[in-house]
Amino acid sequence: MTPHVVILGCGFGGLFAARTLAGAPVRVTVLDRTNHHLFQPLLYQVATAGLSAPAIAAPIRAVLASQDNVTVLMGDAQRVDLARRAVLLEDGEQIGYDHLIVATGAAHSYFGHDDWAPHAPGLKTLEDALEIRRRVLLAFERAERESDPARRAPWLTFIVIGGGATGVELAGMFAEIARHTLHGEFRRFEPRNARVVLVEAADHVLTAYPPELSEKGRAQLERLGVTVWLGRPVTGVDADGVQLGADRLAAKTVVWAAGVAASPLGATLGVPLDRAGRVIVQPDLTVPGHPEVRVIGDLALIPSHQPPVPGIAPAAKQMGRYAAVSILNSLEKKQPGPFRYRDYGMLATIGRNKAIAMFGRFQLSGYPAWLLWLVAHIFFLIGFRNRVVVLVDWAWAYWTLQRYARIVLGRRKDI
Amino acid sequence: MTPHVVILGCGFGGLFAARTLAGAPVRVTVLDRTNHHLFQPLLYQVATAGLSAPAIAAPIRAVLASQDNVTVLMGDAQRVDLARRAVLLEDGEQIGYDHLIVATGAAHSYFGHDDWAPHAPGLKTLEDALEIRRRVLLAFERAERESDPARRAPWLTFIVIGGGATGVELAGMFAEIARHTLHGEFRRFEPRNARVVLVEAADHVLTAYPPELSEKGRAQLERLGVTVWLGRPVTGVDADGVQLGADRLAAKTVVWAAGVAASPLGATLGVPLDRAGRVIVQPDLTVPGHPEVRVIGDLALIPSHQPPVPGIAPAAKQMGRYAAVSILNSLEKKQPGPFRYRDYGMLATIGRNKAIAMFGRFQLSGYPAWLLWLVAHIFFLIGFRNRVVVLVDWAWAYWTLQRYARIVLGRRKDI
């Protein structure tokens, strides 16, 4: 009987695992709790009204339609039963597997302070991005309704918690919105007087980058008007602002980019996890004692792989391909070598036309780094149509300083 | 002191009133409860995943930014106090006016059966469109999870109630989605076997058009695979389907396109309304006894204007301009003539490349009518960037039969 491969999650890991199995002598079921594959590196663009949601997401069914051996299901995996080799879904349905690839990724971690979550949304899903967009744009709208400058100030203060790539990209874009996009649109205040504050507990931003690049990134942020507070761990977040030890910043819009935790599905496997909830896997990505189960992407920790595999899209993609190939190898009784991450570097944008980039020992910053980022992201987007749309949107935004995905629906529910 | 003109609502009526007042010796406040101006004629495209929301909506602030005499506020008008010449907002704020233009449009009417509303959403706002899109796409996803064909059938049955232009456009697009867009993407059923049923109480669809054009429209719908039931008033709508007298259609997705009612704000004026809640106005669009208050667009009924002014975008636009000009005239103590609607015709699309059109006695149908529709809509869209984006999206969709705004967020809350 044709072996059944079940893939949980259709992010970069799951999608590229499925694509690698095209035409293979297996039956594949892809399960995702949404109907789309998300290009997460550009999520901050949706959060800052630079791109519409469909521009960075592709319908999974459409992407995999031509692969006859693949069935796509939309549903929530609740638990994996390793002994019975079955995945239990939210409505009680069970899906049996011969091989399982768990690729459900990561979510936010508030370091035990889940009560901060409603006041400081993170950025992992499209819903997150649209919620952040709504809060930012409606904050400016509220400011225009407020006649008292003292009461207006918290509406015009935006705090980003966490100085990694996500936080830096968000903070830079908030500053661009205040400085350029909304210029001239308000009558009761000057948008460029909005405060954008990036708060980081470590002593520099972008700790994944070498110090000289982090420094360049910070300088660029400050040139955009972002206030960068380093060495400041957050001690409290509420509806009116952020507490940093003895200091308090009053702000109605706070965004969380400070911690990730692994998908809760990992814990249901009943195998050892690390402190962040990631599943500890073998060098070949299999779960100890279960060679038919592989964990990939942000959910996996490979202790034997040094330096550690970064939690970025290219790594998930490579792990997805590797997992698929090693399943095929196992069907032919071949042994795969260990997974080895090929480092093609990292990029982070700062504002509308600057970035920092590194590739091995090669470093780049400023405008040339941003051009590299642009090309790389367009190239790696899924779907030719999305590439055209994103190019049009970005070219337009670049030349006109406008951000066009500024539509907000509904109200802020947090206020 | 500079006269203060307050405009409630920024649809076609309100927006064009505001634009006509550019550079005029008045102070203008535009109030809308959203942050965007919506190109309503294309809302059905968002509802059927053909366009993203930002493509058909423009941020009001951006559109009016260059008009220094205009302040844009986002808020909800609760009541108009004609005696005190003030508008009361939802949070208690009051805005006084010297001249008022009420342009808050229309909403759905369920003919007294408001309990039908959760089961049969209408199509007036972006939220409506995204909700319909979500329900339609998730119905197909649910069908793929359902192994029993009898239980799957209601998930693959889509009912549109109301055979006017909106209903016809929706039904045609649902049929295109089932026939073309989703072809090959499902493994457990054939999408083209989905049933799309258009139900209309009158004895033909598109009653605003001459009978020969309505007939062509109906024939075209049926060629697309839509089942058209005429002379069938709906007697009940619930979570599992629609009751039509003794007949019942089991369907999990029902859309309401059968009745509009005027915005509730009209009733707060305390002046006579018609049965649909529209404000009965003078030939110059003013409220009887209050020459400083004008009502325009779908909210207004001009009994003296025969034939009646249709409730379509070009009419609202003309009324908006007229209202603004007559305010300026009144400042110079000039009397305007009565409002006269200039009929540039009407268009309705049927499926992806057919339409019907009429202009006076000139009638057109089929592909040529659709080309005319395309050009007209692109031309009238607000914002050059939107025109480019929509052209790209449509060109792509046309050539590839794909619909790219297929991203759904969240779950169906109605099931």
Side-chain angles (χ1 to χ4, degrees):
Chain A
M1 205 174 92
T2 325
H4 186 203
V5 179
V6 172
I7 301 174
L8 302 180
C10 200
F12 283 96
L15 180 65
F16 283 88
R19 283 172 81 146
T20 309
L21 292 172
V26 293
R27 188 165 59 92
V28 182
T29 299
V30 174
L31 183 87
D32 194 285
R33 65 180 167 192
T34 74
N35 77 333
H36 51 273
H37 163 77
L38 187 62
F39 195 81
Q40 279 197 39
L42 289 180
L43 206 48
Y44 81 98
Q45 287 271 347
V46 175
T48 57
L51 288 176
S52 67
I56 66 162
I60 299 168
R61 274 181 199 296
V63 176
L64 297 175
S66 58
Q67 296 186 214
D68 293 334
N69 63 340
V70 174
T71 298
V72 177
L73 296 179
M74 181 173 162
D76 232 307
Q78 295 277 292
R79 208 161 59 73
V80 177
D81 189 329
L82 286 179
R84 298 180 44 230
R85 298 196 181 184
V87 179
L88 187 69
L89 304 191
E90 81 283 12
D91 62 350
E93 181 179 349
Q94 297 193 25
I95 303 181
Y97 60 83
D98 297 304
H99 293 268
L100 180 70
I101 299 177
V102 189
T104 49
H108 313 297
S109 164
Y110 290 86
F111 305 133
H113 296 280
D114 284 346
D115 53 304
W116 295 355
H119 310 299
L123 187 63
K124 263 287 165 191
T125 66
L126 270 179
E127 279 99 333
D128 290 342
L130 295 175
E131 177 60 22
I132 290 172
R133 182 173 89 187
R134 177 181 308 122
R135 292 188 186 198
V136 170
L137 295 178
L138 294 194
F140 282 98
E141 293 291 342
R142 272 298 288 262
E144 183 76 333
R145 296 273 308 269
E146 186 59 65
S147 36
D148 175 358
R151 293 170 60 100
R152 190 187 303 138
W155 288 110
L156 295 177
T157 303
F158 302 85
I159 300 178
V160 179
I161 301 172
T166 302
V168 164
E169 289 173 334
L170 282 170
M173 281 301 164
F174 290 161
E176 296 279 10
I177 287 175
R179 270 195 175 198
H180 297 296
T181 313
L182 303 179
H183 177 67
E185 292 193 3
F186 293 87
R187 304 289 174 246
R188 299 178 181 180
F189 63 91
E190 175 51 63
R192 63 171 46 229
N193 291 340
R195 274 194 313 170
V196 180
V197 184
L198 177 65
V199 176
E200 165 61 45
D203 59 5
H204 44 268
V205 296
L206 298 162
T207 48
Y209 291 78
E212 54 274 24
L213 270 186
S214 313
E215 235 339 274
K216 288 200 160 101
R218 179 174 80 89
Q220 187 53 36
L221 274 177
E222 289 179 331
R223 231 170 285 144
L224 281 178
V226 176
T227 304
V228 181
W229 282 15
L230 300 169
R232 307 301 303 275
V234 165
T235 51
V237 181
D238 56 66
D240 296 304
V242 170
Q243 198 73 31
L244 302 125
D247 289 331
R248 180 168 176 83
L249 279 174
K252 290 294 195 178
T253 311
V254 180
V255 178
W256 184 265
V260 284
S263 150
L265 192 70
T268 76
L269 290 169
V271 298
L273 312 173
D274 77 347
R275 272 190 331 161
R278 287 180 293 183
V279 178
I280 296 170
V281 297
Q282 312 272 54
D284 63 355
L285 307 187
T286 58
V287 163
H290 290 272
E292 71 283 0
V293 178
R294 291 165 178 78
V295 183
I296 61 175
D298 290 357
L299 186 52
L301 177 74
I302 320 168
S304 57
H305 192 294
Q306 293 303 331
V309 179
I312 59 178
K317 201 165 154 175
Q318 292 180 26
M319 282 193 260
R321 286 197 179 122
Y322 173 93
V325 166
S326 61
I327 286 175
L328 297 177
N329 279 340
S330 73
L331 295 179
E332 299 175 23
K333 308 277 187 282
K334 287 194 241 171
Q335 280 277 48
F339 170 75
R340 191 68 221 161
Y341 171 59
R342 291 187 67 177
D343 189 348
Y344 291 109
M346 294 204 299
L347 301 152
T349 54
I350 301 151
R352 55 188 283 274
N353 57 8
K354 304 287 190 299
I356 56 170
M358 71 175 186
F359 172 38
R361 278 198 215 113
F362 174 72
Q363 296 179 9
L364 200 59
S365 67
Y367 188 59
W370 179 78
L371 282 176
L372 181 64
W373 170 90
L374 188 81
V375 167
H377 278 76
I378 298 282
F379 185 69
F380 286 108
L381 266 174
I382 302 292
F384 184 67
R385 173 261 176 198
N386 277 359
R387 290 182 193 134
V388 174
V389 165
V390 168
L391 263 174
V392 167
D393 262 346
W394 280 350
W396 198 254
Y398 189 74
W399 290 117
T400 65
L401 299 179
Q402 276 298 316
R403 301 186 79 70
Y404 276 95
R406 284 170 54 186
I407 308 310
V408 291
L409 305 174
R411 313 246 153 180
R412 276 179 69 148
K413 297 183 188 62
D414 65 310
I415 51 171
Chain B
M1 204 173 92
T2 325
H4 185 202
V5 179
V6 173
I7 301 174
L8 303 180
C10 200
F12 283 98
L15 180 65
F16 284 88
R19 283 173 81 147
T20 309
L21 292 173
V26 294
R27 187 165 61 90
V28 182
T29 298
V30 174
L31 182 86
D32 194 285
R33 67 182 164 190
T34 74
N35 77 333
H36 51 274
H37 163 77
L38 186 63
F39 194 80
Q40 279 198 41
L42 288 181
L43 207 47
Y44 81 98
Q45 288 270 346
V46 175
T48 56
L51 288 176
S52 68
I56 66 161
I60 298 169
R61 266 176 206 301
V63 175
L64 296 174
S66 57
Q67 296 186 215
D68 293 332
N69 63 341
V70 173
T71 298
V72 177
L73 297 178
M74 181 173 164
D76 232 309
Q78 296 277 292
R79 210 162 54 76
V80 177
D81 188 330
L82 287 178
R84 298 179 45 229
R85 298 198 181 183
V87 178
L88 187 69
L89 304 192
E90 80 282 12
D91 61 351
E93 182 180 350
Q94 296 194 24
I95 304 181
Y97 60 83
D98 298 306
H99 293 268
L100 179 70
I101 299 177
V102 188
T104 50
H108 313 297
S109 163
Y110 291 87
F111 306 131
H113 297 279
D114 284 347
D115 53 304
W116 294 354
H119 310 300
L123 187 64
K124 263 288 164 192
T125 65
L126 270 179
E127 279 98 335
D128 290 343
L130 295 175
E131 178 59 24
I132 291 173
R133 180 173 90 187
R134 178 180 307 122
R135 291 187 187 200
V136 170
L137 295 179
L138 294 193
F140 283 99
E141 293 292 340
R142 272 298 289 262
E144 183 77 333
R145 295 275 306 271
E146 186 56 61
S147 38
D148 176 358
R151 292 170 60 101
R152 191 187 300 137
W155 288 110
L156 294 177
T157 304
F158 301 86
I159 300 179
V160 179
I161 300 173
T166 301
V168 164
E169 288 174 335
L170 283 169
M173 281 302 165
F174 290 161
E176 296 279 13
I177 287 174
R179 270 194 177 203
H180 297 295
T181 312
L182 302 180
H183 176 66
E185 290 193 5
F186 293 87
R187 303 289 175 248
R188 299 179 180 179
F189 63 90
E190 176 51 64
R192 59 169 52 226
N193 291 341
R195 276 195 311 170
V196 181
V197 184
L198 178 66
V199 176
E200 166 59 48
D203 60 4
H204 47 269
V205 295
L206 297 161
T207 48
Y209 291 78
E212 54 276 23
L213 270 187
S214 311
E215 234 340 273
K216 287 200 161 98
R218 180 173 78 91
Q220 188 53 38
L221 273 176
E222 288 178 332
R223 228 169 288 145
L224 281 178
V226 176
T227 305
V228 182
W229 282 14
L230 298 170
R232 309 301 305 275
V234 165
T235 53
V237 182
D238 56 66
D240 296 304
V242 170
Q243 199 73 33
L244 302 125
D247 289 331
R248 180 169 175 83
L249 279 174
K252 290 293 195 180
T253 310
V254 181
V255 178
W256 184 264
V260 285
S263 151
L265 193 68
T268 75
L269 290 169
V271 297
L273 311 174
D274 77 346
R275 270 186 336 159
R278 286 180 294 183
V279 178
I280 297 170
V281 296
Q282 311 273 56
D284 63 357
L285 308 186
T286 58
V287 164
H290 290 272
E292 72 283 358
V293 179
R294 291 164 178 78
V295 183
I296 62 176
D298 291 357
L299 186 52
L301 177 74
I302 320 166
S304 58
H305 193 297
Q306 294 302 332
V309 179
I312 59 178
K317 203 166 153 177
Q318 293 180 24
M319 283 194 259
R321 283 194 180 125
Y322 172 93
V325 166
S326 61
I327 286 174
L328 297 178
N329 279 341
S330 74
L331 294 180
E332 299 175 26
K333 308 279 186 280
K334 287 193 243 171
Q335 279 278 46
F339 170 75
R340 191 70 220 160
Y341 173 59
R342 291 186 67 177
D343 189 349
Y344 291 109
M346 292 202 303
L347 301 153
T349 54
I350 301 153
R352 53 188 287 272
N353 57 7
K354 304 286 191 300
I356 57 169
M358 71 174 186
F359 172 36
R361 280 198 214 113
F362 174 72
Q363 297 180 7
L364 201 58
S365 68
Y367 189 58
W370 179 78
L371 281 177
L372 181 64
W373 169 90
L374 188 81
V375 168
H377 279 74
I378 298 282
F379 186 69
F380 285 110
L381 266 173
I382 303 292
F384 184 66
R385 173 260 176 200
N386 278 357
R387 292 182 192 134
V388 175
V389 165
V390 169
L391 263 174
V392 167
D393 262 346
W394 280 350
W396 198 255
Y398 190 75
W399 292 117
T400 66
L401 300 178
Q402 276 298 315
R403 302 184 78 71
Y404 276 94
R406 285 169 54 183
I407 307 312
V408 292
L409 304 175
R411 313 249 152 179
R412 280 181 65 149
K413 295 180 189 65
D414 65 309
I415 51 173

